Amino acid sequence: MSNLWTKKRRLLSSISLSSSNQRIFVVWISLIVFLYSKLTHPSHDQFAHRSATTTNRTLVIIMGNLRGGEKAWDTLYKNVLDPNSADLALIIGEDSYLPLYPNSTLLKRAKLMCTFPEYTDWADAVDQINGEGWRETHLSYFSGLKLRRNGLLGGIAGYIGSGAIIFMIRWFLSQCIIDHDLLNKYERFVITRADHYYQCNHTINELDLQNNTMWIPEGEEWGGYTDRHLIVGRKNLLDALDIFPSLLRESPDYFISQAGQINMNPEYILKQVWMYKNLTVKTFPRVMFTAAISGDTTRWKTPEGEVPGVPGLFLKYPNEYHLTQNNCRPLV
């Protein structure tokens, strides 16, 4: 910028003009310099305006820790975001991405990032819903059942799995959606995770969301509905995320009495709550599978072998991979 003003002064000194013409000439040169600076150094407000006026009406939201690596994320961009003209948002643990993914392209691509605290005992997170009363009414009741190994309360001290974590992240996401007025900015939403490898095109915008209909991929139901990927319209989004509040809103035996405690895993509770809210769930042919790279964190499932044709990427759920091969061109 300083070089431009220096050149302007030199130009004026080399040109012989009347005083009135010189003033006009100065105005024109100043205007040119101003416009040049705006074109080459756009302000933060200009970027904010460009983002705010986006016409994309689909939002893909990644929940939880960043996993899967750039090879998986490239398939998200190529087979999900770009063909569906979709924006990206993240809701991730505070600073959880820093050790392994400080420069993740997900951070650069996302239009919005919300964070949640990482708890040592996720019972403290559940307290955020409606206070600590649930510990007496629900947690004490669940403690007397055989629920410590089925994953529903995973993340709470003494329980294995990640059920409490994934459902509380949904609660934190609902607060993010409300705070940022996302229901008025987007028409359909994809609630998913970072470690999916999308082997072929994932058609989102053609799925019919009328009559309270939501979509999940085939497979991995485990007595209910898979909790790893969901396509839902804005009308039903908050209901679809309202899992633990619904569980705590009813008596502690409300959902258990319908199928027996042995089925009280996250997938079962997801199905029961969505039925309770009169949501219709349909499945689409699977085009993605969950993957990991060396060093990825996990609370439940460890990788089981390298993905054929993708060096350095490992399978987490082989059944997802095999189902995907029925619907996509082979990787090798």
Side-chain angles (χ1 to χ4, degrees), residues 4 8 32 48 61 78 87 89 93 110 139 155 163 170 172 179 213 251-252 257 265 297 302 307 312 321-322:
L4 282 174
K8 185 186 81 169
I32 291 171
I61 303 175
K78 177 183 176 182
D87 288 339
L139 186 57
R170 282 164 169 76
F172 287 120
D179 290 345
T213 300
S251 63
S257 62
N265 56 23
T297 60
T302 56
V307 176
Y321 173 79
H322 295 308

Side-chain angles (χ1 to χ4, degrees), residues 194-229:
D195 53 0
H196 277 145
Y197 187 99
Y198 298 89
Q199 190 166 326
C200 57
N201 193 11
H202 182 16
T203 302
I204 296 171
N205 295 334
E206 295 179 6
L207 296 177
D208 186 1
L209 301 179
Q210 298 183 68
N211 301 318
N212 301 327
T213 300
M214 312 187 301
W215 294 81
I216 59 174
E218 61 181 332
E220 297 295 308
E221 298 94 349
W222 296 101
Y225 294 136
T226 180
D227 57 16
R228 298 174 198 152
H229 193 85

Side-chain angles (χ1 to χ4, degrees), residues 61-299:
I61 303 175
I62 287 178
M63 299 189 304
N65 293 338
L66 300 190
R67 300 168 179 162
E70 295 291 347
K71 289 182 180 179
W73 303 335
D74 283 344
T75 68
L76 170 70
Y77 310 144
K78 177 183 176 182
N79 290 327
V80 184
L81 297 183
D82 293 342
N84 291 284
S85 298
D87 288 339
L88 176 67
L90 308 175
I91 179 163
I92 57 181
E94 295 173 350
D95 300 329
S96 62
Y97 59 90
L98 290 176
L100 192 58
Y101 298 116
N103 300 308
S104 165
T105 57
L106 291 174
L107 302 174
K108 301 173 184 177
R109 183 74 181 253
K111 289 290 186 75
L112 172 68
M113 183 174 76
C114 295
T115 60
F116 55 84
E118 290 281 6
Y119 293 86
T120 301
D121 182 355
W122 279 76
D124 296 332
V126 182
D127 291 344
Q128 302 300 311
I129 297 176
N130 198 27
E132 299 180 7
W134 74 281
R135 293 176 183 256
E136 295 296 326
T137 58
H138 289 72
L139 186 57
S140 60
Y141 176 83
F142 293 151
S143 296
L145 304 178
K146 298 177 181 179
L147 298 180
R148 294 189 179 275
R149 299 189 60 83
N150 66 2
L152 174 62
L153 300 179
I156 293 175
Y159 294 83
I160 67 170
S162 58
I165 298 172
I166 63 175
F167 290 142
M168 281 310 302
I169 294 175
R170 282 164 169 76
W171 184 81
F172 287 120
L173 173 57
S174 68
Q175 310 310 303
C176 173
I177 289 166
I178 294 170
D179 290 345
H180 293 275
D181 196 29
L182 297 183
L183 295 180
N184 287 322
K185 297 176 181 177
Y186 296 94
E187 295 177 355
R188 61 182 60 209
F189 296 80
V190 180
I191 311 301
T192 190
R193 47 194 287 165
D195 53 0
H196 277 145
Y197 187 99
Y198 298 89
Q199 190 166 326
C200 57
N201 193 11
H202 182 16
T203 302
I204 296 171
N205 295 334
E206 295 179 6
L207 296 177
D208 186 1
L209 301 179
Q210 298 183 68
N211 301 318
N212 301 327
T213 300
M214 312 187 301
W215 294 81
I216 59 174
E218 61 181 332
E220 297 295 308
E221 298 94 349
W222 296 101
Y225 294 136
T226 180
D227 57 16
R228 298 174 198 152
H229 193 85
L230 171 69
I231 302 169
V232 57
R234 61 184 170 190
K235 174 185 175 183
N236 303 121
L237 176 59
L238 293 181
D239 275 343
L241 298 173
D242 191 49
I243 307 303
F244 257 29
S246 296
L247 180 66
L248 301 181
R249 196 175 294 128
E250 299 293 344
S251 63
D253 64 346
Y254 180 85
F255 293 106
I256 294 178
S257 62
Q258 299 182 50
Q261 66 190 55
I262 195 166
N263 293 320
M264 285 285 286
N265 56 23
E267 292 84 358
Y268 167 79
I269 284 297
L270 203 59
K271 181 176 181 177
Q272 293 302 313
V273 170
W274 286 349
M275 291 172 58
Y276 168 81
K277 291 179 174 291
N278 296 314
L279 299 172
T280 299
V281 179
K282 295 183 179 181
T283 61
F284 61 85
R286 179 174 286 277
V287 296
M288 82 288 281
F289 54 88
T290 311
I293 65 169
S294 178
D296 272 352
T297 60
T298 181
R299 292 186 175 96

